[in-house]
PDB file of all heavy atoms in Angstrom:
ATOM      1  N   ARG A   5       0.841  -1.201   0.000  1.00  0.00           N
ATOM      2  CA  ARG A   5       0.000   0.000   0.000  1.00  0.00           C
ATOM      3  C   ARG A   5       0.876   1.251   0.000  1.00  0.00           C
ATOM      4  O   ARG A   5       2.031   1.213   0.423  1.00  0.00           O
ATOM      5  CB  ARG A   5      -0.917   0.042   1.234  1.00  0.00           C
ATOM      6  CG  ARG A   5      -1.793  -1.158   1.458  1.00  0.00           C
ATOM      7  CD  ARG A   5      -2.844  -1.319   0.435  1.00  0.00           C
ATOM      8  NE  ARG A   5      -3.900  -0.334   0.625  1.00  0.00           N
ATOM      9  CZ  ARG A   5      -5.026  -0.342  -0.084  1.00  0.00           C
ATOM     10  NH1 ARG A   5      -5.229  -1.245  -1.007  1.00  0.00           N
ATOM     11  NH2 ARG A   5      -5.941   0.566   0.126  1.00  0.00           N
ATOM     12  N   TYR A   6       0.311   2.340  -0.446  1.00  0.00           N
ATOM     13  CA  TYR A   6       0.983   3.640  -0.435  1.00  0.00           C
ATOM     14  C   TYR A   6       0.245   4.568   0.516  1.00  0.00           C
ATOM     15  O   TYR A   6      -0.975   4.613   0.529  1.00  0.00           O
ATOM     16  CB  TYR A   6       1.000   4.254  -1.840  1.00  0.00           C
ATOM     17  CG  TYR A   6       1.904   3.509  -2.782  1.00  0.00           C
ATOM     18  CD1 TYR A   6       1.425   2.420  -3.494  1.00  0.00           C
ATOM     19  CD2 TYR A   6       3.235   3.869  -2.939  1.00  0.00           C
ATOM     20  CE1 TYR A   6       2.244   1.716  -4.360  1.00  0.00           C
ATOM     21  CE2 TYR A   6       4.071   3.173  -3.803  1.00  0.00           C
ATOM     22  CZ  TYR A   6       3.561   2.105  -4.504  1.00  0.00           C
ATOM     23  OH  TYR A   6       4.386   1.411  -5.348  1.00  0.00           O
ATOM     24  N   TRP A   7       1.009   5.309   1.311  1.00  0.00           N
ATOM     25  CA  TRP A   7       0.453   6.261   2.269  1.00  0.00           C
ATOM     26  C   TRP A   7       0.829   7.666   1.838  1.00  0.00           C
ATOM     27  O   TRP A   7       1.976   7.935   1.516  1.00  0.00           O
ATOM     28  CB  TRP A   7       0.996   5.983   3.674  1.00  0.00           C
ATOM     29  CG  TRP A   7       0.446   4.720   4.221  1.00  0.00           C
ATOM     30  CD1 TRP A   7       0.968   3.467   4.069  1.00  0.00           C
ATOM     31  CD2 TRP A   7      -0.758   4.559   4.950  1.00  0.00           C
ATOM     32  NE1 TRP A   7       0.156   2.548   4.669  1.00  0.00           N
ATOM     33  CE2 TRP A   7      -0.910   3.183   5.218  1.00  0.00           C
ATOM     34  CE3 TRP A   7      -1.721   5.442   5.402  1.00  0.00           C
ATOM     35  CZ2 TRP A   7      -1.990   2.682   5.923  1.00  0.00           C
ATOM     36  CZ3 TRP A   7      -2.801   4.935   6.109  1.00  0.00           C
ATOM     37  CH2 TRP A   7      -2.920   3.563   6.361  1.00  0.00           C
ATOM     38  N   ALA A   8      -0.136   8.551   1.818  1.00  0.00           N
ATOM     39  CA  ALA A   8       0.097   9.948   1.475  1.00  0.00           C
ATOM     40  C   ALA A   8      -0.211  10.796   2.704  1.00  0.00           C
ATOM     41  O   ALA A   8      -1.153  10.516   3.434  1.00  0.00           O
ATOM     42  CB  ALA A   8      -0.797  10.358   0.303  1.00  0.00           C
ATOM     43  N   TRP A   9       0.592  11.845   2.907  1.00  0.00           N
ATOM     44  CA  TRP A   9       0.470  12.679   4.099  1.00  0.00           C
ATOM     45  C   TRP A   9       0.637  14.138   3.715  1.00  0.00           C
ATOM     46  O   TRP A   9       1.515  14.494   2.924  1.00  0.00           O
ATOM     47  CB  TRP A   9       1.536  12.263   5.099  1.00  0.00           C
ATOM     48  CG  TRP A   9       1.606  13.081   6.343  1.00  0.00           C
ATOM     49  CD1 TRP A   9       0.592  13.313   7.231  1.00  0.00           C
ATOM     50  CD2 TRP A   9       2.752  13.755   6.870  1.00  0.00           C
ATOM     51  NE1 TRP A   9       1.044  14.097   8.272  1.00  0.00           N
ATOM     52  CE2 TRP A   9       2.365  14.372   8.069  1.00  0.00           C
ATOM     53  CE3 TRP A   9       4.063  13.873   6.437  1.00  0.00           C
ATOM     54  CZ2 TRP A   9       3.237  15.112   8.839  1.00  0.00           C
ATOM     55  CZ3 TRP A   9       4.943  14.616   7.199  1.00  0.00           C
ATOM     56  CH2 TRP A   9       4.528  15.229   8.398  1.00  0.00           C
ATOM     57  N   CYS A  10      -0.210  14.994   4.269  1.00  0.00           N
ATOM     58  CA  CYS A  10      -0.117  16.446   4.131  1.00  0.00           C
ATOM     59  C   CYS A  10       0.355  16.997   5.478  1.00  0.00           C
ATOM     60  O   CYS A  10      -0.428  17.035   6.434  1.00  0.00           O
ATOM     61  CB  CYS A  10      -1.481  17.029   3.758  1.00  0.00           C
ATOM     62  SG  CYS A  10      -1.512  18.824   3.796  1.00  0.00           S
ATOM     63  N   PRO A  11       1.640  17.367   5.591  1.00  0.00           N
ATOM     64  CA  PRO A  11       2.167  17.791   6.893  1.00  0.00           C
ATOM     65  C   PRO A  11       1.557  19.071   7.443  1.00  0.00           C
ATOM     66  O   PRO A  11       1.441  19.212   8.659  1.00  0.00           O
ATOM     67  CB  PRO A  11       3.666  17.966   6.634  1.00  0.00           C
ATOM     68  CG  PRO A  11       3.809  18.071   5.166  1.00  0.00           C
ATOM     69  CD  PRO A  11       2.655  17.362   4.548  1.00  0.00           C
ATOM     70  N   GLU A  12       1.147  20.008   6.589  1.00  0.00           N
ATOM     71  CA  GLU A  12       0.575  21.261   7.093  1.00  0.00           C
ATOM     72  C   GLU A  12      -0.663  21.005   7.940  1.00  0.00           C
ATOM     73  O   GLU A  12      -0.881  21.675   8.943  1.00  0.00           O
ATOM     74  CB  GLU A  12       0.179  22.206   5.944  1.00  0.00           C
ATOM     75  CG  GLU A  12       1.335  22.802   5.190  1.00  0.00           C
ATOM     76  CD  GLU A  12       1.719  21.977   3.966  1.00  0.00           C
ATOM     77  OE1 GLU A  12       1.252  20.826   3.822  1.00  0.00           O
ATOM     78  OE2 GLU A  12       2.475  22.477   3.142  1.00  0.00           O
ATOM     79  N   LEU A  13      -1.482  20.045   7.528  1.00  0.00           N
ATOM     80  CA  LEU A  13      -2.731  19.760   8.237  1.00  0.00           C
ATOM     81  C   LEU A  13      -2.681  18.452   9.007  1.00  0.00           C
ATOM     82  O   LEU A  13      -3.636  18.102   9.688  1.00  0.00           O
ATOM     83  CB  LEU A  13      -3.899  19.738   7.250  1.00  0.00           C
ATOM     84  CG  LEU A  13      -4.132  21.042   6.506  1.00  0.00           C
ATOM     85  CD1 LEU A  13      -5.199  20.860   5.433  1.00  0.00           C
ATOM     86  CD2 LEU A  13      -4.513  22.143   7.468  1.00  0.00           C
ATOM     87  N   ASP A  14      -1.585  17.726   8.895  1.00  0.00           N
ATOM     88  CA  ASP A  14      -1.423  16.413   9.519  1.00  0.00           C
ATOM     89  C   ASP A  14      -2.603  15.497   9.163  1.00  0.00           C
ATOM     90  O   ASP A  14      -3.221  14.879  10.023  1.00  0.00           O
ATOM     91  CB  ASP A  14      -1.258  16.526  11.029  1.00  0.00           C
ATOM     92  CG  ASP A  14      -0.706  15.231  11.637  1.00  0.00           C
ATOM     93  OD1 ASP A  14      -0.058  14.455  10.910  1.00  0.00           O
ATOM     94  OD2 ASP A  14      -0.936  14.996  12.843  1.00  0.00           O
ATOM     95  N   VAL A  15      -2.885  15.431   7.871  1.00  0.00           N
ATOM     96  CA  VAL A  15      -3.943  14.575   7.337  1.00  0.00           C
ATOM     97  C   VAL A  15      -3.268  13.539   6.451  1.00  0.00           C
ATOM     98  O   VAL A  15      -2.350  13.861   5.695  1.00  0.00           O
ATOM     99  CB  VAL A  15      -4.963  15.396   6.511  1.00  0.00           C
ATOM    100  CG1 VAL A  15      -5.973  14.496   5.833  1.00  0.00           C
ATOM    101  CG2 VAL A  15      -5.663  16.404   7.399  1.00  0.00           C
ATOM    102  N   SER A  16      -3.714  12.293   6.556  1.00  0.00           N
ATOM    103  CA  SER A  16      -3.125  11.244   5.730  1.00  0.00           C
ATOM    104  C   SER A  16      -4.208  10.351   5.150  1.00  0.00           C
ATOM    105  O   SER A  16      -5.355  10.350   5.596  1.00  0.00           O
ATOM    106  CB  SER A  16      -2.130  10.410   6.539  1.00  0.00           C
ATOM    107  OG  SER A  16      -2.783   9.766   7.600  1.00  0.00           O
ATOM    108  N   SER A  17      -3.805   9.596   4.133  1.00  0.00           N
ATOM    109  CA  SER A  17      -4.689   8.642   3.492  1.00  0.00           C
ATOM    110  C   SER A  17      -3.833   7.585   2.835  1.00  0.00           C
ATOM    111  O   SER A  17      -2.602   7.677   2.845  1.00  0.00           O
ATOM    112  CB  SER A  17      -5.573   9.350   2.466  1.00  0.00           C
ATOM    113  OG  SER A  17      -6.603   8.484   2.045  1.00  0.00           O
ATOM    114  N   GLU A  18      -4.479   6.578   2.252  1.00  0.00           N
ATOM    115  CA  GLU A  18      -3.707   5.514   1.614  1.00  0.00           C
ATOM    116  C   GLU A  18      -4.406   5.032   0.355  1.00  0.00           C
ATOM    117  O   GLU A  18      -5.529   5.417   0.079  1.00  0.00           O
ATOM    118  CB  GLU A  18      -3.467   4.361   2.595  1.00  0.00           C
ATOM    119  CG  GLU A  18      -4.728   3.785   3.228  1.00  0.00           C
ATOM    120  CD  GLU A  18      -5.367   2.683   2.421  1.00  0.00           C
ATOM    121  OE1 GLU A  18      -4.658   1.940   1.730  1.00  0.00           O
ATOM    122  OE2 GLU A  18      -6.597   2.574   2.451  1.00  0.00           O
ATOM    123  N   GLY A  19      -3.696   4.206  -0.406  1.00  0.00           N
ATOM    124  CA  GLY A  19      -4.266   3.650  -1.624  1.00  0.00           C
ATOM    125  C   GLY A  19      -3.393   2.532  -2.165  1.00  0.00           C
ATOM    126  O   GLY A  19      -2.276   2.311  -1.694  1.00  0.00           O
ATOM    127  N   LYS A  20      -3.902   1.848  -3.182  1.00  0.00           N
ATOM    128  CA  LYS A  20      -3.165   0.740  -3.792  1.00  0.00           C
ATOM    129  C   LYS A  20      -2.001   1.237  -4.649  1.00  0.00           C
ATOM    130  O   LYS A  20      -1.020   0.530  -4.828  1.00  0.00           O
ATOM    131  CB  LYS A  20      -4.098  -0.101  -4.662  1.00  0.00           C
ATOM    132  CG  LYS A  20      -5.113  -0.877  -3.885  1.00  0.00           C
ATOM    133  CD  LYS A  20      -5.996  -1.693  -4.812  1.00  0.00           C
ATOM    134  CE  LYS A  20      -7.047  -2.446  -4.012  1.00  0.00           C
ATOM    135  NZ  LYS A  20      -7.933  -3.227  -4.892  1.00  0.00           N
ATOM    136  N   THR A  21      -2.142   2.454  -5.205  1.00  0.00           N
ATOM    137  CA  THR A  21      -1.094   3.060  -6.028  1.00  0.00           C
ATOM    138  C   THR A  21      -0.783   4.441  -5.483  1.00  0.00           C
ATOM    139  O   THR A  21      -1.528   4.983  -4.670  1.00  0.00           O
ATOM    140  CB  THR A  21      -1.551   3.200  -7.498  1.00  0.00           C
ATOM    141  OG1 THR A  21      -2.629   4.148  -7.547  1.00  0.00           O
ATOM    142  CG2 THR A  21      -1.998   1.862  -8.080  1.00  0.00           C
ATOM    143  N   THR A  22       0.303   5.035  -5.961  1.00  0.00           N
ATOM    144  CA  THR A  22       0.625   6.393  -5.528  1.00  0.00           C
ATOM    145  C   THR A  22      -0.481   7.361  -5.943  1.00  0.00           C
ATOM    146  O   THR A  22      -0.821   8.267  -5.192  1.00  0.00           O
ATOM    147  CB  THR A  22       1.972   6.870  -6.103  1.00  0.00           C
ATOM    148  OG1 THR A  22       1.947   6.777  -7.529  1.00  0.00           O
ATOM    149  CG2 THR A  22       3.124   6.053  -5.556  1.00  0.00           C
ATOM    150  N   GLU A  23      -1.054   7.145  -7.119  1.00  0.00           N
ATOM    151  CA  GLU A  23      -2.128   8.007  -7.595  1.00  0.00           C
ATOM    152  C   GLU A  23      -3.374   7.875  -6.708  1.00  0.00           C
ATOM    153  O   GLU A  23      -4.020   8.877  -6.384  1.00  0.00           O
ATOM    154  CB  GLU A  23      -2.488   7.694  -9.047  1.00  0.00           C
ATOM    155  CG  GLU A  23      -1.394   8.029 -10.040  1.00  0.00           C
ATOM    156  CD  GLU A  23      -0.289   6.978 -10.115  1.00  0.00           C
ATOM    157  OE1 GLU A  23      -0.471   5.833  -9.615  1.00  0.00           O
ATOM    158  OE2 GLU A  23       0.781   7.298 -10.647  1.00  0.00           O
ATOM    159  N   ASP A  24      -3.710   6.635  -6.329  1.00  0.00           N
ATOM    160  CA  ASP A  24      -4.850   6.420  -5.428  1.00  0.00           C
ATOM    161  C   ASP A  24      -4.620   7.123  -4.096  1.00  0.00           C
ATOM    162  O   ASP A  24      -5.520   7.783  -3.561  1.00  0.00           O
ATOM    163  CB  ASP A  24      -5.073   4.927  -5.154  1.00  0.00           C
ATOM    164  CG  ASP A  24      -5.670   4.179  -6.318  1.00  0.00           C
ATOM    165  OD1 ASP A  24      -6.216   4.820  -7.231  1.00  0.00           O
ATOM    166  OD2 ASP A  24      -5.592   2.931  -6.292  1.00  0.00           O
ATOM    167  N   ALA A  25      -3.424   6.964  -3.543  1.00  0.00           N
ATOM    168  CA  ALA A  25      -3.107   7.583  -2.256  1.00  0.00           C
ATOM    169  C   ALA A  25      -3.207   9.104  -2.358  1.00  0.00           C
ATOM    170  O   ALA A  25      -3.763   9.761  -1.479  1.00  0.00           O
ATOM    171  CB  ALA A  25      -1.712   7.162  -1.796  1.00  0.00           C
ATOM    172  N   ARG A  26      -2.689   9.649  -3.438  1.00  0.00           N
ATOM    173  CA  ARG A  26      -2.733  11.101  -3.651  1.00  0.00           C
ATOM    174  C   ARG A  26      -4.175  11.586  -3.811  1.00  0.00           C
ATOM    175  O   ARG A  26      -4.576  12.575  -3.211  1.00  0.00           O
ATOM    176  CB  ARG A  26      -1.906  11.438  -4.893  1.00  0.00           C
ATOM    177  CG  ARG A  26      -1.781  12.884  -5.191  1.00  0.00           C
ATOM    178  CD  ARG A  26      -1.014  13.048  -6.504  1.00  0.00           C
ATOM    179  NE  ARG A  26      -0.881  14.433  -6.833  1.00  0.00           N
ATOM    180  CZ  ARG A  26       0.266  15.081  -6.909  1.00  0.00           C
ATOM    181  NH1 ARG A  26       1.390  14.453  -6.684  1.00  0.00           N
ATOM    182  NH2 ARG A  26       0.281  16.346  -7.229  1.00  0.00           N
ATOM    183  N   ASP A  27      -4.971  10.885  -4.615  1.00  0.00           N
ATOM    184  CA  ASP A  27      -6.371  11.268  -4.811  1.00  0.00           C
ATOM    185  C   ASP A  27      -7.164  11.169  -3.510  1.00  0.00           C
ATOM    186  O   ASP A  27      -7.975  12.042  -3.192  1.00  0.00           O
ATOM    187  CB  ASP A  27      -7.029  10.392  -5.880  1.00  0.00           C
ATOM    188  CG  ASP A  27      -6.502  10.679  -7.277  1.00  0.00           C
ATOM    189  OD1 ASP A  27      -5.841  11.720  -7.482  1.00  0.00           O
ATOM    190  OD2 ASP A  27      -6.739   9.836  -8.170  1.00  0.00           O
ATOM    191  N   ASN A  28      -6.926  10.094  -2.750  1.00  0.00           N
ATOM    192  CA  ASN A  28      -7.618   9.911  -1.470  1.00  0.00           C
ATOM    193  C   ASN A  28      -7.213  11.001  -0.478  1.00  0.00           C
ATOM    194  O   ASN A  28      -8.038  11.489   0.292  1.00  0.00           O
ATOM    195  CB  ASN A  28      -7.349   8.522  -0.900  1.00  0.00           C
ATOM    196  CG  ASN A  28      -7.973   7.426  -1.730  1.00  0.00           C
ATOM    197  OD1 ASN A  28      -8.900   7.661  -2.513  1.00  0.00           O
ATOM    198  ND2 ASN A  28      -7.468   6.213  -1.592  1.00  0.00           N
ATOM    199  N   LEU A  29      -5.937  11.388  -0.510  1.00  0.00           N
ATOM    200  CA  LEU A  29      -5.475  12.461   0.373  1.00  0.00           C
ATOM    201  C   LEU A  29      -6.126  13.781  -0.017  1.00  0.00           C
ATOM    202  O   LEU A  29      -6.547  14.547   0.852  1.00  0.00           O
ATOM    203  CB  LEU A  29      -3.955  12.592   0.330  1.00  0.00           C
ATOM    204  CG  LEU A  29      -3.381  13.704   1.207  1.00  0.00           C
ATOM    205  CD1 LEU A  29      -3.700  13.438   2.683  1.00  0.00           C
ATOM    206  CD2 LEU A  29      -1.897  13.849   0.994  1.00  0.00           C
ATOM    207  N   ARG A  30      -6.212  14.055  -1.305  1.00  0.00           N
ATOM    208  CA  ARG A  30      -6.851  15.295  -1.759  1.00  0.00           C
ATOM    209  C   ARG A  30      -8.272  15.380  -1.205  1.00  0.00           C
ATOM    210  O   ARG A  30      -8.693  16.412  -0.685  1.00  0.00           O
ATOM    211  CB  ARG A  30      -6.869  15.355  -3.287  1.00  0.00           C
ATOM    212  CG  ARG A  30      -7.464  16.654  -3.817  1.00  0.00           C
ATOM    213  CD  ARG A  30      -7.462  16.719  -5.335  1.00  0.00           C
ATOM    214  NE  ARG A  30      -6.100  16.802  -5.842  1.00  0.00           N
ATOM    215  CZ  ARG A  30      -5.512  15.845  -6.574  1.00  0.00           C
ATOM    216  NH1 ARG A  30      -6.155  14.745  -6.890  1.00  0.00           N
ATOM    217  NH2 ARG A  30      -4.280  16.010  -6.995  1.00  0.00           N
ATOM    218  N   GLU A  31      -9.000  14.274  -1.291  1.00  0.00           N
ATOM    219  CA  GLU A  31     -10.376  14.245  -0.779  1.00  0.00           C
ATOM    220  C   GLU A  31     -10.412  14.430   0.737  1.00  0.00           C
ATOM    221  O   GLU A  31     -11.230  15.179   1.266  1.00  0.00           O
ATOM    222  CB  GLU A  31     -11.042  12.921  -1.163  1.00  0.00           C
ATOM    223  CG  GLU A  31     -12.494  12.850  -0.793  1.00  0.00           C
ATOM    224  CD  GLU A  31     -13.149  11.560  -1.260  1.00  0.00           C
ATOM    225  OE1 GLU A  31     -12.771  11.049  -2.321  1.00  0.00           O
ATOM    226  OE2 GLU A  31     -14.030  11.074  -0.537  1.00  0.00           O
ATOM    227  N   ALA A  32      -9.498  13.757   1.442  1.00  0.00           N
ATOM    228  CA  ALA A  32      -9.451  13.866   2.903  1.00  0.00           C
ATOM    229  C   ALA A  32      -9.109  15.295   3.336  1.00  0.00           C
ATOM    230  O   ALA A  32      -9.704  15.830   4.278  1.00  0.00           O
ATOM    231  CB  ALA A  32      -8.435  12.881   3.478  1.00  0.00           C
ATOM    232  N   VAL A  33      -8.165  15.926   2.639  1.00  0.00           N
ATOM    233  CA  VAL A  33      -7.778  17.296   2.968  1.00  0.00           C
ATOM    234  C   VAL A  33      -8.940  18.243   2.697  1.00  0.00           C
ATOM    235  O   VAL A  33      -9.231  19.134   3.502  1.00  0.00           O
ATOM    236  CB  VAL A  33      -6.514  17.716   2.176  1.00  0.00           C
ATOM    237  CG1 VAL A  33      -6.321  19.218   2.198  1.00  0.00           C
ATOM    238  CG2 VAL A  33      -5.285  17.018   2.741  1.00  0.00           C
ATOM    239  N   GLN A  34      -9.605  18.055   1.579  1.00  0.00           N
ATOM    240  CA  GLN A  34     -10.746  18.908   1.253  1.00  0.00           C
ATOM    241  C   GLN A  34     -11.829  18.797   2.322  1.00  0.00           C
ATOM    242  O   GLN A  34     -12.361  19.807   2.788  1.00  0.00           O
ATOM    243  CB  GLN A  34     -11.310  18.534  -0.116  1.00  0.00           C
ATOM    244  CG  GLN A  34     -12.332  19.508  -0.615  1.00  0.00           C
ATOM    245  CD  GLN A  34     -12.692  19.267  -2.075  1.00  0.00           C
ATOM    246  OE1 GLN A  34     -12.057  18.488  -2.769  1.00  0.00           O
ATOM    247  NE2 GLN A  34     -13.717  19.936  -2.529  1.00  0.00           N
ATOM    248  N   CYS A  35     -12.131  17.581   2.757  1.00  0.00           N
ATOM    249  CA  CYS A  35     -13.130  17.383   3.822  1.00  0.00           C
ATOM    250  C   CYS A  35     -12.672  18.024   5.126  1.00  0.00           C
ATOM    251  O   CYS A  35     -13.462  18.657   5.834  1.00  0.00           O
ATOM    252  CB  CYS A  35     -13.395  15.893   4.032  1.00  0.00           C
ATOM    253  SG  CYS A  35     -14.325  15.126   2.705  1.00  0.00           S
ATOM    254  N   HIS A  36     -11.388  17.878   5.445  1.00  0.00           N
ATOM    255  CA  HIS A  36     -10.826  18.446   6.665  1.00  0.00           C
ATOM    256  C   HIS A  36     -10.966  19.974   6.651  1.00  0.00           C
ATOM    257  O   HIS A  36     -11.410  20.582   7.635  1.00  0.00           O
ATOM    258  CB  HIS A  36      -9.357  18.035   6.782  1.00  0.00           C
ATOM    259  CG  HIS A  36      -8.685  18.514   8.018  1.00  0.00           C
ATOM    260  ND1 HIS A  36      -8.856  17.912   9.242  1.00  0.00           N
ATOM    261  CD2 HIS A  36      -7.841  19.558   8.225  1.00  0.00           C
ATOM    262  CE1 HIS A  36      -8.140  18.564  10.155  1.00  0.00           C
ATOM    263  NE2 HIS A  36      -7.523  19.556   9.563  1.00  0.00           N
ATOM    264  N   ILE A  37     -10.611  20.588   5.536  1.00  0.00           N
ATOM    265  CA  ILE A  37     -10.695  22.047   5.410  1.00  0.00           C
ATOM    266  C   ILE A  37     -12.137  22.511   5.499  1.00  0.00           C
ATOM    267  O   ILE A  37     -12.462  23.464   6.220  1.00  0.00           O
ATOM    268  CB  ILE A  37     -10.035  22.514   4.100  1.00  0.00           C
ATOM    269  CG1 ILE A  37      -8.516  22.354   4.205  1.00  0.00           C
ATOM    270  CG2 ILE A  37     -10.410  23.958   3.776  1.00  0.00           C
ATOM    271  CD1 ILE A  37      -7.774  22.574   2.906  1.00  0.00           C
ATOM    272  N   GLU A  38     -13.031  21.854   4.763  1.00  0.00           N
ATOM    273  CA  GLU A  38     -14.449  22.226   4.792  1.00  0.00           C
ATOM    274  C   GLU A  38     -15.017  22.124   6.206  1.00  0.00           C
ATOM    275  O   GLU A  38     -15.763  22.997   6.643  1.00  0.00           O
ATOM    276  CB  GLU A  38     -15.247  21.340   3.833  1.00  0.00           C
ATOM    277  CG  GLU A  38     -14.989  21.646   2.374  1.00  0.00           C
ATOM    278  CD  GLU A  38     -15.608  20.644   1.422  1.00  0.00           C
ATOM    279  OE1 GLU A  38     -16.257  19.667   1.883  1.00  0.00           O
ATOM    280  OE2 GLU A  38     -15.434  20.813   0.206  1.00  0.00           O
ATOM    281  N   THR A  39     -14.646  21.072   6.925  1.00  0.00           N
ATOM    282  CA  THR A  39     -15.131  20.883   8.296  1.00  0.00           C
ATOM    283  C   THR A  39     -14.617  21.993   9.206  1.00  0.00           C
ATOM    284  O   THR A  39     -15.376  22.551  10.008  1.00  0.00           O
ATOM    285  CB  THR A  39     -14.712  19.503   8.835  1.00  0.00           C
ATOM    286  OG1 THR A  39     -15.288  18.497   7.999  1.00  0.00           O
ATOM    287  CG2 THR A  39     -15.163  19.305  10.269  1.00  0.00           C
ATOM    288  N   MET A  40     -13.324  22.338   9.079  1.00  0.00           N
ATOM    289  CA  MET A  40     -12.771  23.408   9.909  1.00  0.00           C
ATOM    290  C   MET A  40     -13.496  24.725   9.649  1.00  0.00           C
ATOM    291  O   MET A  40     -13.829  25.451  10.586  1.00  0.00           O
ATOM    292  CB  MET A  40     -11.268  23.562   9.656  1.00  0.00           C
ATOM    293  CG  MET A  40     -10.439  22.430  10.244  1.00  0.00           C
ATOM    294  SD  MET A  40      -8.670  22.755  10.131  1.00  0.00           S
ATOM    295  CE  MET A  40      -8.485  23.941  11.481  1.00  0.00           C
ATOM    296  N   ILE A  41     -13.754  25.028   8.377  1.00  0.00           N
ATOM    297  CA  ILE A  41     -14.431  26.279   8.034  1.00  0.00           C
ATOM    298  C   ILE A  41     -15.862  26.266   8.559  1.00  0.00           C
ATOM    299  O   ILE A  41     -16.325  27.239   9.156  1.00  0.00           O
ATOM    300  CB  ILE A  41     -14.378  26.526   6.516  1.00  0.00           C
ATOM    301  CG1 ILE A  41     -12.929  26.820   6.096  1.00  0.00           C
ATOM    302  CG2 ILE A  41     -15.301  27.676   6.112  1.00  0.00           C
ATOM    303  CD1 ILE A  41     -12.694  26.858   4.601  1.00  0.00           C
ATOM    304  N   GLU A  42     -16.572  25.152   8.379  1.00  0.00           N
ATOM    305  CA  GLU A  42     -17.956  25.037   8.862  1.00  0.00           C
ATOM    306  C   GLU A  42     -18.036  25.189  10.371  1.00  0.00           C
ATOM    307  O   GLU A  42     -19.012  25.718  10.898  1.00  0.00           O
ATOM    308  CB  GLU A  42     -18.549  23.683   8.448  1.00  0.00           C
ATOM    309  CG  GLU A  42     -18.877  23.580   6.971  1.00  0.00           C
ATOM    310  CD  GLU A  42     -19.245  22.167   6.537  1.00  0.00           C
ATOM    311  OE1 GLU A  42     -19.325  21.251   7.400  1.00  0.00           O
ATOM    312  OE2 GLU A  42     -19.425  21.971   5.329  1.00  0.00           O
ATOM    313  N   GLN A  43     -17.012  24.717  11.087  1.00  0.00           N
ATOM    314  CA  GLN A  43     -17.012  24.795  12.543  1.00  0.00           C
ATOM    315  C   GLN A  43     -16.480  26.133  13.062  1.00  0.00           C
ATOM    316  O   GLN A  43     -16.327  26.319  14.268  1.00  0.00           O
ATOM    317  CB  GLN A  43     -16.186  23.646  13.127  1.00  0.00           C
ATOM    318  CG  GLN A  43     -16.812  22.299  12.883  1.00  0.00           C
ATOM    319  CD  GLN A  43     -15.961  21.150  13.418  1.00  0.00           C
ATOM    320  OE1 GLN A  43     -14.788  21.316  13.755  1.00  0.00           O
ATOM    321  NE2 GLN A  43     -16.551  19.980  13.486  1.00  0.00           N
ATOM    322  N   GLY A  44     -16.179  27.044  12.145  1.00  0.00           N
ATOM    323  CA  GLY A  44     -15.712  28.364  12.558  1.00  0.00           C
ATOM    324  C   GLY A  44     -14.256  28.412  12.957  1.00  0.00           C
ATOM    325  O   GLY A  44     -13.837  29.303  13.688  1.00  0.00           O
TER     326      GLY A  44
END
């Protein structure tokens, strides 16, 4: 498996390929940011 990590937000994700891990991380980061903004 491949693990992707965004150090600025300390968010990580994984996938079967580097592309999967990167795409999954993009989605996780987007959700993390949206949640932070929604929560003020």
